[in-house]
Amino acid sequence: MHTNSFVAIKELVQSTEHILRLADDEPYRREIKAQSNLTEGRHDLARRIFHGRKGEMTRVYYEGMEDQLSALGLVLNCVVRRIN
């Protein structure tokens, strides 16, 4: 077998284990839900800070976009740090 086949099988096994844990392990489900809520909260905060166009980037890539996204990330980190 090729290395890619082993990697694909390993990913399939890990995915299956994850699904089975979600079905059977209540604390694991809570942990995943908490992480999901935290991530969604951060996205919601980013949408509120980046309020133009309802928090959505509607333009195609243009030069300098990374700088704007980096600045948004920096502002997000500062706000989160200030809150905590």
Side-chain angles (χ1 to χ4, degrees):
M1 283 186 128
H2 292 74
T3 303
N4 289 341
S5 298
F6 286 121
V7 170
I9 290 171
K10 180 181 177 187
E11 289 174 356
L12 182 61
V13 168
Q14 289 173 339
S15 176
T16 303
E17 287 176 341
H18 170 72
I19 291 169
L20 290 173
R21 276 189 77 190
L22 280 175
D24 190 48
D25 190 349
E26 179 68 29
Y28 184 68
R29 276 196 304 272
R30 280 194 225 116
E31 182 181 325
I32 297 296
K33 179 70 173 169
Q35 184 63 41
S36 177
N37 288 344
L38 184 66
T39 302
E40 185 52 41
R42 184 174 169 87
H43 290 165
D44 185 51
L45 178 60
R47 282 189 290 273
R48 288 171 187 262
I49 290 172
F50 184 71
H51 56 82
R53 306 233 185 218
K54 299 179 186 172
E56 298 175 1
M57 300 188 80
T58 57
R59 299 171 74 187
V60 296
Y61 173 80
Y62 60 91
E63 192 167 328
M65 186 179 273
E66 300 95 348
D67 296 334
Q68 287 183 340
L69 291 173
S70 294
L72 177 59
L74 179 63
V75 170
L76 272 172
N77 289 340
C78 291
V79 169
V80 169
R81 179 73 176 147
R82 179 73 175 148
I83 291 171
N84 294 331

